[in-house]
Amino acid sequence: MKTVIFTDLDGTFLNHDDYSFDLSKDSLSLINEKKIPLLFTTSKTRVEVELLQKKVGIKEPFIVENGAAIFFPKDYQNFDLSFLDEYHGYYILQLGLKYKQVLNFYNKYKSEFGLLGFSDMSIDDIVKYTGLSEDDAKLSKQRDFTEPFLIEDKTKLKNLKNLALTYNIKITKGGRFYHLIGEFQDKGIAVKKAKNIFEKIYNDDINSIGLGDGPNDIVMFENVDIPIVIKNHKGKYVDTKIKNIQKSEFEGSKGWNEMVLKNV
Protein backbone atom coordinates (compact mmCIF):
# COMPACT_ATOMS: atom_id res chain seq x y z
CA MET A 1 0.00 0.00 0.00
CA LYS A 2 1.36 3.40 -1.03
CA THR A 3 1.72 6.18 1.55
CA VAL A 4 0.75 9.78 0.74
CA ILE A 5 1.49 12.70 3.08
CA PHE A 6 -0.68 15.82 3.29
CA THR A 7 0.81 18.68 5.29
CA ASP A 8 -0.11 22.17 6.35
CA LEU A 9 2.70 24.71 5.98
CA ASP A 10 2.67 27.68 8.39
CA GLY A 11 3.30 26.47 11.93
CA THR A 12 3.62 22.86 10.77
CA PHE A 13 6.15 22.16 8.02
CA LEU A 14 7.33 25.77 8.38
CA ASN A 15 8.09 27.42 11.71
CA HIS A 16 5.55 30.05 12.74
CA ASP A 17 8.06 32.84 13.35
CA ASP A 18 10.79 32.43 10.74
CA TYR A 19 9.10 30.16 8.11
CA SER A 20 12.13 27.85 8.24
CA PHE A 21 11.95 24.13 7.45
CA ASP A 22 15.61 23.42 8.27
CA LEU A 23 14.76 21.07 11.13
CA SER A 24 12.78 18.77 8.82
CA LYS A 25 15.74 17.72 6.67
CA ASP A 26 16.02 14.17 8.09
CA SER A 27 12.38 13.36 7.40
CA LEU A 28 12.53 14.98 3.96
CA SER A 29 15.44 12.72 3.06
CA LEU A 30 13.45 9.68 4.17
CA ILE A 31 10.37 10.78 2.19
CA ASN A 32 12.54 11.26 -0.89
CA GLU A 33 14.25 7.90 -0.38
CA LYS A 34 10.90 6.11 -0.14
CA LYS A 35 9.41 8.17 -3.01
CA ILE A 36 6.39 9.19 -0.94
CA PRO A 37 4.20 11.94 -2.44
CA LEU A 38 4.35 15.02 -0.17
CA LEU A 39 1.39 17.31 -0.79
CA PHE A 40 1.53 20.80 0.66
CA THR A 41 -2.05 21.42 1.83
CA THR A 42 -2.22 25.09 2.65
CA SER A 43 -3.96 28.44 2.62
CA LYS A 44 -1.05 29.73 0.55
CA THR A 45 -1.33 30.48 -3.17
CA ARG A 46 -0.12 28.51 -6.16
CA VAL A 47 2.85 30.82 -6.78
CA GLU A 48 3.87 30.66 -3.10
CA VAL A 49 3.80 26.86 -3.17
CA GLU A 50 5.75 26.75 -6.43
CA LEU A 51 8.52 28.83 -4.84
CA LEU A 52 8.59 26.72 -1.68
CA GLN A 53 8.73 23.49 -3.70
CA LYS A 54 11.82 24.82 -5.48
CA LYS A 55 13.45 25.61 -2.12
CA VAL A 56 12.59 22.15 -0.77
CA GLY A 57 13.65 20.44 -4.00
CA ILE A 58 10.40 18.63 -4.83
CA LYS A 59 7.84 18.71 -7.60
CA GLU A 60 4.70 17.13 -6.20
CA PRO A 61 0.95 17.73 -6.37
CA PHE A 62 -0.36 20.35 -3.94
CA ILE A 63 -3.56 21.80 -2.50
CA VAL A 64 -3.88 25.58 -2.27
CA GLU A 65 -6.01 28.28 -0.66
CA ASN A 66 -7.72 26.05 1.93
CA GLY A 67 -8.77 23.30 -0.45
CA ALA A 68 -9.78 25.51 -3.37
CA ALA A 69 -7.94 23.36 -5.90
CA ILE A 70 -5.67 20.34 -6.28
CA PHE A 71 -2.76 20.80 -8.69
CA PHE A 72 -0.89 17.92 -10.36
CA PRO A 73 2.25 18.59 -12.44
CA LYS A 74 1.53 17.55 -16.01
CA ASP A 75 4.42 15.10 -16.15
CA TYR A 76 3.80 13.65 -12.69
CA GLN A 77 5.22 10.11 -12.55
CA ASN A 78 4.09 9.61 -16.16
CA PHE A 79 0.52 9.11 -14.97
CA ASP A 80 -2.39 9.83 -17.30
CA LEU A 81 -4.17 12.70 -15.56
CA SER A 82 -5.99 13.95 -18.64
CA PHE A 83 -9.33 13.30 -16.91
CA LEU A 84 -8.62 16.53 -14.97
CA ASP A 85 -8.89 20.09 -16.27
CA GLU A 86 -5.83 22.06 -17.41
CA TYR A 87 -4.77 25.29 -15.69
CA HIS A 88 -1.47 27.22 -15.86
CA GLY A 89 0.48 24.19 -17.02
CA TYR A 90 -1.05 21.78 -14.49
CA TYR A 91 -3.83 19.27 -14.32
CA ILE A 92 -6.27 20.61 -11.76
CA LEU A 93 -9.40 19.74 -9.84
CA GLN A 94 -11.04 23.03 -8.82
CA LEU A 95 -13.35 22.92 -5.79
CA GLY A 96 -13.56 26.59 -4.89
CA LEU A 97 -14.98 29.73 -6.46
CA LYS A 98 -13.03 32.04 -8.71
CA TYR A 99 -11.32 34.91 -6.88
CA LYS A 100 -13.47 37.48 -8.66
CA GLN A 101 -16.65 35.97 -7.17
CA VAL A 102 -15.21 36.04 -3.64
CA LEU A 103 -13.99 39.62 -4.08
CA ASN A 104 -17.43 40.76 -5.23
CA PHE A 105 -18.80 39.68 -1.84
CA TYR A 106 -15.85 41.10 0.11
CA ASN A 107 -16.03 44.50 -1.60
CA LYS A 108 -19.78 44.72 -1.08
CA TYR A 109 -19.63 44.19 2.70
CA LYS A 110 -16.11 45.16 3.82
CA SER A 111 -17.14 48.59 5.11
CA GLU A 112 -20.25 47.36 6.91
CA PHE A 113 -18.34 44.62 8.76
CA GLY A 114 -14.98 46.36 9.19
CA LEU A 115 -12.95 43.93 7.08
CA LEU A 116 -9.38 44.32 5.86
CA GLY A 117 -8.54 41.77 3.18
CA PHE A 118 -5.38 40.99 1.26
CA SER A 119 -6.76 42.74 -1.80
CA ASP A 120 -6.81 46.03 0.16
CA MET A 121 -3.56 45.50 2.07
CA SER A 122 -0.35 47.11 0.88
CA ILE A 123 2.78 44.99 0.67
CA ASP A 124 3.95 46.70 3.89
CA ASP A 125 0.67 45.73 5.60
CA ILE A 126 1.13 42.07 4.67
CA VAL A 127 4.75 42.12 5.85
CA LYS A 128 3.59 43.62 9.17
CA TYR A 129 0.79 41.12 9.76
CA THR A 130 2.60 38.00 8.53
CA GLY A 131 6.32 38.51 9.00
CA LEU A 132 6.85 37.51 5.36
CA SER A 133 9.63 39.07 3.30
CA GLU A 134 8.57 41.76 0.84
CA ASP A 135 9.00 39.39 -2.11
CA ASP A 136 6.96 36.66 -0.43
CA ALA A 137 4.27 39.18 0.51
CA LYS A 138 3.93 40.11 -3.17
CA LEU A 139 3.41 36.44 -4.03
CA SER A 140 0.74 36.08 -1.35
CA LYS A 141 -1.37 38.74 -3.13
CA GLN A 142 -1.44 36.72 -6.37
CA ARG A 143 -4.57 34.82 -5.46
CA ASP A 144 -6.77 32.55 -7.59
CA PHE A 145 -9.65 31.57 -5.30
CA THR A 146 -9.88 32.98 -1.74
CA GLU A 147 -9.51 36.16 0.33
CA PRO A 148 -7.73 36.20 3.73
CA PHE A 149 -8.95 39.01 5.97
CA LEU A 150 -8.91 40.60 9.42
CA ILE A 151 -12.08 41.82 11.14
CA GLU A 152 -12.27 44.71 13.62
CA ASP A 153 -15.16 43.37 15.70
CA LYS A 154 -15.28 39.58 16.02
CA THR A 155 -18.82 39.72 17.41
CA LYS A 156 -19.90 40.47 13.82
CA LEU A 157 -18.49 37.18 12.53
CA LYS A 158 -21.68 35.18 13.03
CA ASN A 159 -23.75 37.58 10.93
CA LEU A 160 -21.01 37.74 8.31
CA LYS A 161 -20.90 33.94 8.09
CA ASN A 162 -24.67 33.71 7.63
CA LEU A 163 -24.62 36.40 4.96
CA ALA A 164 -21.68 34.78 3.15
CA LEU A 165 -23.52 31.47 2.84
CA THR A 166 -26.20 33.17 0.75
CA TYR A 167 -23.39 33.79 -1.78
CA ASN A 168 -22.07 30.18 -1.59
CA ILE A 169 -19.14 31.45 0.49
CA LYS A 170 -18.04 30.33 3.95
CA ILE A 171 -15.46 31.55 6.46
CA THR A 172 -12.64 29.50 7.93
CA LYS A 173 -9.99 30.41 10.51
CA GLY A 174 -6.29 29.93 9.82
CA GLY A 175 -3.26 30.66 11.94
CA ARG A 176 -3.26 34.42 11.36
CA PHE A 177 -6.32 35.29 9.28
CA TYR A 178 -9.92 34.44 8.58
CA HIS A 179 -10.53 33.33 4.99
CA LEU A 180 -13.47 33.81 2.63
CA ILE A 181 -13.65 30.56 0.67
CA GLY A 182 -16.10 28.69 -1.54
CA GLU A 183 -18.91 26.90 0.32
CA PHE A 184 -18.02 23.54 -1.20
CA GLN A 185 -14.31 23.58 -0.45
CA ASP A 186 -12.05 22.96 2.54
CA LYS A 187 -8.87 21.01 3.24
CA GLY A 188 -10.87 17.91 4.15
CA ILE A 189 -12.83 17.80 0.91
CA ALA A 190 -9.66 18.41 -1.10
CA VAL A 191 -7.72 15.69 0.73
CA LYS A 192 -10.57 13.22 0.16
CA LYS A 193 -10.66 14.07 -3.56
CA ALA A 194 -6.86 13.86 -3.83
CA LYS A 195 -6.87 10.45 -2.16
CA ASN A 196 -9.44 9.26 -4.71
CA ILE A 197 -7.20 10.46 -7.55
CA PHE A 198 -4.16 8.67 -6.11
CA GLU A 199 -6.14 5.46 -5.65
CA LYS A 200 -7.26 5.74 -9.27
CA ILE A 201 -3.76 6.27 -10.69
CA TYR A 202 -2.12 3.70 -8.39
CA ASN A 203 -5.04 1.30 -8.78
CA ASP A 204 -4.70 0.53 -5.07
CA ASP A 205 -5.71 1.81 -1.65
CA ILE A 206 -3.38 4.36 -0.06
CA ASN A 207 -2.23 5.01 3.49
CA SER A 208 -2.74 8.73 4.14
CA ILE A 209 -0.96 10.86 6.74
CA GLY A 210 -2.09 14.41 7.58
CA LEU A 211 -0.14 16.97 9.62
CA GLY A 212 -1.37 20.38 10.75
CA ASP A 213 -1.63 22.79 13.66
CA GLY A 214 -4.69 25.01 13.10
CA PRO A 215 -8.49 24.96 13.20
CA ASN A 216 -8.68 24.76 9.39
CA ASP A 217 -6.67 21.51 9.54
CA ILE A 218 -9.29 19.62 11.59
CA VAL A 219 -11.28 18.64 8.49
CA MET A 220 -8.05 17.32 6.98
CA PHE A 221 -7.42 15.21 10.10
CA GLU A 222 -10.91 13.74 9.72
CA ASN A 223 -10.11 12.51 6.21
CA VAL A 224 -6.73 10.78 6.66
CA ASP A 225 -5.73 7.43 8.13
CA ILE A 226 -3.07 8.90 10.42
CA PRO A 227 -3.95 12.38 11.73
CA ILE A 228 -1.12 14.29 13.45
CA VAL A 229 -1.47 17.61 15.24
CA ILE A 230 1.68 19.69 15.65
CA LYS A 231 2.12 21.76 18.81
CA ASN A 232 1.53 25.40 17.85
CA HIS A 233 3.74 28.42 18.53
CA LYS A 234 1.89 29.05 21.79
CA GLY A 235 2.82 25.58 23.02
CA LYS A 236 -0.75 24.31 22.66
CA TYR A 237 -2.68 21.88 20.45
CA VAL A 238 -5.79 22.64 18.44
CA ASP A 239 -8.74 20.80 20.00
CA THR A 240 -9.87 18.14 17.54
CA LYS A 241 -11.80 15.54 19.60
CA ILE A 242 -10.34 12.91 17.23
CA LYS A 243 -9.57 9.83 19.30
CA ASN A 244 -6.69 8.38 17.30
CA ILE A 245 -4.86 11.67 16.69
CA GLN A 246 -1.14 11.82 17.41
CA LYS A 247 0.47 14.89 19.01
CA SER A 248 4.01 16.13 18.47
CA GLU A 249 6.25 16.92 21.40
CA PHE A 250 7.87 19.82 19.56
CA GLU A 251 6.61 22.85 17.63
CA GLY A 252 6.86 23.67 13.93
CA SER A 253 9.34 21.93 11.66
CA LYS A 254 11.01 20.14 14.59
CA GLY A 255 7.67 18.60 15.53
CA TRP A 256 6.96 17.83 11.88
CA ASN A 257 10.29 16.05 11.54
CA GLU A 258 9.64 14.14 14.78
CA MET A 259 6.25 12.84 13.67
CA VAL A 260 7.16 11.99 10.07
CA LEU A 261 10.13 9.92 11.25
CA LYS A 262 7.78 8.17 13.68
CA ASN A 263 5.17 7.28 11.05
CA VAL A 264 6.99 6.76 7.73
Side-chain angles (χ1 to χ4, degrees):
M1 187 183 294
K2 298 277 190 179
T3 294
V4 177
I5 298 175
F6 299 90
T7 182
D8 175 52
L9 293 179
D10 293 355
T12 301
F13 179 74
L14 304 173
N15 292 336
H16 177 83
D17 294 325
D18 62 7
Y19 297 99
S20 169
F21 60 91
D22 288 346
L23 296 177
S24 65
K25 294 294 175 65
D26 290 344
S27 51
L28 282 172
S29 295
L30 184 60
I31 288 168
N32 184 55
E33 179 186 323
K34 294 192 172 186
K35 297 182 179 178
I36 296 172
L38 174 62
L39 278 72
F40 293 158
T41 305
T42 178
S43 60
K44 290 184 181 295
T45 64
R46 170 178 55 86
V47 289
E48 288 179 284
V49 170
E50 288 172 340
L51 180 62
L52 180 59
Q53 283 195 336
K54 285 181 182 177
K55 290 179 179 177
V56 175
I58 63 173
K59 191 175 183 182
E60 294 288 344
F62 54 88
I63 296 167
V64 298
E65 299 192 43
N66 281 305
I70 309 162
F71 287 81
F72 279 81
K74 276 201 168 179
D75 56 351
Y76 187 64
Q77 296 189 26
N78 294 318
F79 288 125
D80 180 9
L81 293 160
S82 58
F83 58 90
L84 299 172
D85 294 328
E86 296 186 33
Y87 185 86
H88 286 278
Y90 292 90
Y91 286 115
I92 181 179
L93 178 62
Q94 182 176 329
L95 302 169
L97 300 174
K98 292 181 179 178
Y99 190 40
K100 182 179 179 181
Q101 293 172 271
V102 174
L103 279 189
N104 285 341
F105 172 81
Y106 165 77
N107 287 324
K108 188 172 183 178
Y109 294 104
K110 62 185 179 183
S111 297
E112 180 181 343
F113 286 90
L115 310 181
L116 177 61
F118 264 40
S119 57
D120 284 328
M121 288 185 191
S122 66
I123 298 301
D124 287 342
D125 287 335
I126 294 176
V127 168
K128 180 178 77 172
Y129 289 122
T130 64
L132 291 170
S133 69
E134 186 173 318
D135 286 342
D136 288 343
K138 289 176 181 176
L139 294 179
S140 73
K141 281 179 71 74
Q142 296 181 39
R143 313 197 66 80
D144 293 302
F145 309 105
T146 67
E147 177 75 342
F149 69 95
L150 301 170
I151 185 168
E152 292 175 5
D153 183 357
K154 291 180 183 177
T155 64
K156 294 183 177 181
L157 265 174
K158 184 177 180 180
N159 287 340
L160 182 64
K161 286 180 178 180
N162 291 335
L163 183 61
L165 284 174
T166 66
Y167 289 79
N168 296 323
I169 294 170
K170 62 185 178 184
I171 296 171
T172 188
K173 177 73 169 68
R176 290 177 169 84
F177 299 93
Y178 293 94
H179 300 259
L180 291 169
I181 71 176
E183 182 182 3
F184 305 108
Q185 71 164 86
D186 60 35
K187 287 187 178 184
I189 295 169
V191 163
K192 188 175 182 179
K193 296 284 189 182
K195 285 170 56 181
N196 290 341
I197 293 171
F198 273 104
E199 287 172 349
K200 179 174 181 175
I201 59 182
Y202 284 142
N203 195 29
D204 196 5
D205 292 336
I206 63 165
N207 176 46
S208 55
I209 300 173
L211 303 100
D213 75 315
N216 61 341
D217 295 315
I218 294 172
V219 287
M220 173 176 67
F221 297 146
E222 293 171 343
N223 285 279
V224 293
D225 300 304
I226 303 175
I228 301 169
V229 62
I230 303 299
K231 184 187 288 186
N232 67 26
H233 66 286
K234 296 178 181 177
K236 298 181 179 180
Y237 303 96
V238 65
D239 184 14
T240 67
K241 297 182 174 61
I242 298 173
K243 291 182 179 180
N244 68 325
I245 198 160
Q246 299 181 29
K247 296 181 178 180
S248 71
E249 181 181 351
F250 303 105
E251 300 172 14
S253 64
K254 187 175 182 180
W256 192 90
N257 187 70
E258 165 202 357
M259 300 309 290
V260 169
L261 291 177
K262 182 179 176 181
N263 285 279
V264 169

